[in-house]
Amino acid sequence: MKRRWKNRLLLIIITLFVLGAILTSGKFGLDLLLGGMCGNKIIEQSNSKNERKTAYIFRRDCGAMTGYSYLLSILNQNKQLKNKSGNTFVSDEEFSIEWQNDKSLKVYYNNRVNAYEMDKRVSSVKVEYIGEQ
C-alpha cells in the first residue's frame, strides 16, 4: 500500500515538473515570437544636467492591430533603450520633457488624452506632470 502511494506521489511530482517546464518554455517562446512585433522609435533623447541619467521619449508600435503609444523611460547614462515598454510615462499622444536639475524632470502632456502610467519617481529622479489642454 505504501509503495503504491509513493508511486502516485512521484507521478504527481513528475507531472507538475513537466507542466511547469512546458508553461515556462511556452512563455519564452511567445515572448520571442510576439516580442519582435513591437518596435521603438526614439523621438528625443535628453541627458540630465550632470549627464548621469538619460530620458528617452519614444514611440512604440506593435503592429497593424494596435495604435502608437508614446512613452518615457529614464535610464542610467550607460544604458541603452531596449525594445521594451517605458518605465515612467505612457500616453496616446506626444509630450515634451524638461530637466529642472539632476534629479527632477517635468513632463508636459495633453491632459485630455489617455495617460496609462505616471510614475512620480524613477530611480533617483522625481517626475512632475504638467497637464495642458
Side-chain angles (χ1 to χ4, degrees), residues 3-67:
R3 185 175 177 99
R4 189 179 301 165
W5 184 80
K6 286 182 181 179
N7 286 343
R8 285 184 182 170
L9 182 60
L10 183 61
L11 182 61
I12 290 171
I13 291 171
I14 290 172
T15 302
L16 290 174
F17 178 77
V18 169
L19 285 174
I22 290 170
L23 290 174
T24 301
S25 64
K27 185 218 178 298
F28 286 115
L30 284 175
D31 283 348
L32 285 173
L33 183 65
L34 300 178
M37 293 177 71
C38 294
N40 293 340
K41 180 181 179 194
I42 297 173
I43 296 171
E44 181 181 341
Q45 178 178 338
S46 177
N47 292 330
S48 62
K49 308 277 184 192
N50 65 4
E51 298 192 2
R52 291 187 180 161
K53 300 286 183 188
T54 302
Y56 292 94
I57 297 175
F58 59 100
R59 184 180 73 197
R60 188 157 177 84
D61 179 13
C62 289
M65 300 301 283
T66 62

